[in-house]
Amino acid sequence: MAGIQFSREQQDMLAADLQRWLLDNTSAELGRFEAGFLLDHVSQLLGAYWYNQGVRDAQAVLARRVDDLQEALEQLEQAEG
């Protein structure tokens, strides 16, 4: 399963955020290099699942909009008929 690919700037920002979060919430200190490896691992492990859930969520929103449009069209047809 492929992970999410980040730009170098995104990778650096996310690794720094991860370092801060770990220090604040677990008192664990990670170096920049280790934080980058952890971020890579998490993105490889979970990235595809999060992406696929986002796609499913977008499909559900689109389906509701299409249903709303279909209902509006049917109401127009009934009003004209």
Side-chain angles (χ1 to χ4, degrees):
M1 206 177 297
I4 297 172
Q5 297 297 314
F6 300 109
S7 69
R8 175 43 76 204
E9 294 79 23
Q10 290 171 320
Q11 175 86 9
D12 290 345
M13 180 193 68
L14 291 169
D17 286 346
L18 184 56
Q19 283 176 296
R20 277 190 297 280
W21 186 90
L22 284 169
L23 184 60
D24 292 346
N25 293 283
T26 69
S27 299
E29 291 189 46
L30 287 183
R32 194 169 129 194
F33 191 68
E34 292 85 4
F37 271 128
L38 181 56
L39 180 61
D40 286 343
H41 176 68
V42 169
S43 71
Q44 295 264 334
L45 184 66
L46 300 174
Y49 295 104
W50 287 333
Y51 175 84
N52 289 335
Q53 184 60 51
V55 169
R56 283 189 295 274
D57 291 347
Q59 287 172 329
V61 168
L62 183 57
R64 284 193 303 271
R65 298 275 173 111
V66 168
D67 288 345
D68 291 345
L69 181 59
Q70 182 64 35
E71 185 178 316
L73 290 172
E74 288 171 3
Q75 289 175 358
L76 283 174
E77 288 175 353
Q78 289 174 0
E80 290 177 359

